[in-house]
Amino acid sequence: MNRESKLLVVAIAIAVLNILSHLLLSKFFTEYSWVEMSLASIPFIMMLMCVFAVRYAARTLKESDKDEG
């Protein structure tokens, strides 16, 4: 799997988490106790995924610059 594909997977996973969180906000899931904890953790998971993706992209860019120079 190449570098761009890995970052694309991260972007798709973040989009899926965003859609999932909106679906969990619907009235159908209000009686479940696990929904509140799940909805509270989703933004933190998304932020961590973004941080690791940016760090991965920066490391990859540094490696490609080192290979060229």
Side-chain angles (χ1 to χ4, degrees), residues 28-69:
F28 178 73
F29 294 107
T30 55
E31 65 267 1
Y32 297 112
S33 61
W34 55 268
V35 173
E36 185 177 354
M37 189 64 73
S38 298
L39 288 174
S41 66
I42 287 176
F44 295 108
I45 294 169
M46 290 169 54
M47 284 188 284
L48 284 174
M49 290 176 74
C50 287
V51 166
F52 287 125
V54 168
R55 290 180 66 194
Y56 174 76
R59 186 176 65 231
T60 302
L61 184 63
K62 187 183 285 187
E63 288 175 0
S64 67
D65 288 344
K66 194 181 296 184
D67 290 341
E68 289 177 2

